[in-house]
Amino acid sequence: MSHDASAPTGTATSPAGSPGDRAGSPGIASFIDHTLLKPDASEAEILKVCAEAAEYGFKSVCVNPVWVKTVKTALKGTGVLTCSVAGFPLGATPSDVKAFEARGAVLDGADEVDMVIDIAAARASDKGALVDDIKAVAEAVHAGEAILKVIIETGLLSDDQKVMACEAAVEAGADFVKTSTGFNGGGATVEDVALLRRTVGPDLGVKASGGVRSLKDAQAMIAAGATRIGASSGIAIVKGEQGSSAY
């Protein structure tokens, strides 16, 4: 299963007359995974994020697995996807546990899953272990006809390790590579997004996340090759304002 990431047509178009369009940034909302991954997020906060995503035409709402059923119900009929995470935010759980978590999220209604790789394996340059880790989750996610994004946590890796992690993601059958969790220091940079794009080629998605807080930030990431933006500052981005969140 692959995701055509070569053009913005791979994402949904925001509704005509949406706030994103009125802000003079047509289509930018359709790149954004509107994200709330705080461990203390309340149901009211989750539902608020869902309402915002429907209003602004964001691509998805990304939440921890416990909220997937809530989000799927809240987004029904809006065209906004439900996204969740596996092995988040450390990536330091066994691959079969990540696969089990991802499978459960898909069964609960997740259209997409963002997994964290075995970062220790990446830092040890153990490509085989990374392929096995990602493949286990990819098979679980794809069995439910969902999309897998692979978080390589660029802030903890050298450029050579980033390249190897991306190559492992391609080999394992992932649909996207993603820069960061936003929880372990560092975040998306234009240089890293460009490196990921060069490594995976035109056919995989590249998601920039961590520290993307403004329209200028988002546009720079897209120009560098990103086809998705993970942000909790999505509204600020489409309004042309400056967000304050770390993610």
Side-chain angles (χ1 to χ4, degrees):
M1 183 175 183
S2 64
H3 177 94
D4 182 2
S6 59
T9 52
T11 59
T13 303
S14 55
S18 74
D21 293 327
R22 293 198 298 272
S25 53
I28 196 74
S30 67
F31 284 84
I32 295 173
D33 290 344
H34 197 36
T35 302
L36 181 54
L37 290 166
K38 296 188 304 179
D40 58 341
S42 67
E43 182 176 18
E45 289 174 316
I46 294 290
L47 292 174
K48 180 173 182 287
V49 165
C50 291
E52 291 168 348
E55 178 184 355
Y56 285 85
F58 293 130
K59 179 65 173 180
S60 82
V61 169
C62 189
V63 294
N64 283 303
V66 69
W67 293 114
V68 169
K69 288 183 179 179
T70 300
V71 169
K72 189 70 172 183
T73 299
L75 293 176
K76 185 176 181 180
T78 66
V80 180
L81 301 178
T82 299
C83 177
S84 193
V85 292
F88 192 91
L90 301 178
T93 46
S95 302
D96 58 347
V97 176
K98 293 180 191 177
F100 180 85
E101 185 177 22
R103 187 178 298 110
V106 172
L107 287 172
D108 282 346
D111 302 293
E112 302 182 339
V113 174
D114 293 16
M115 71 165 284
V116 186
I117 62 166
D118 180 345
I119 297 166
R123 287 175 63 89
S125 299
D126 189 344
K127 184 178 179 182
L130 286 180
V131 171
D132 290 346
D133 185 48
I134 299 166
K135 189 174 183 180
V137 183
E139 289 176 348
V141 170
H142 291 161
E145 300 185 346
I147 291 291
L148 177 65
K149 309 192 202 88
V150 174
I151 307 171
I152 68 171
E153 203 66 287
T154 49
L156 300 179
L157 304 180
S158 69
D159 282 356
D160 285 346
Q161 291 163 349
K162 295 167 195 173
V163 168
M164 182 198 60
C166 287
E167 291 172 346
V170 172
E171 188 173 333
D175 304 294
F176 274 76
V177 290
K178 174 179 170 181
T179 58
S180 322
T181 62
F183 283 74
N184 291 316
T189 67
V190 167
E191 293 77 17
D192 279 340
V193 169
L195 177 63
L196 269 55
R197 172 53 68 205
R198 288 196 301 272
T199 303
V200 302
D203 296 330
L204 254 68
V206 173
K207 180 174 173 179
S209 62
V212 183
R213 304 186 187 99
S214 69
L215 177 59
K216 183 179 179 181
D217 290 342
Q219 289 172 330
M221 298 301 172
I222 292 167
T227 49
R228 195 75 67 88
I229 302 293
S232 51
S233 298
I235 293 175
I237 290 170
V238 298
K239 286 185 172 181
E241 299 171 353
Q242 180 69 39
S244 59
S245 173
Y247 188 87

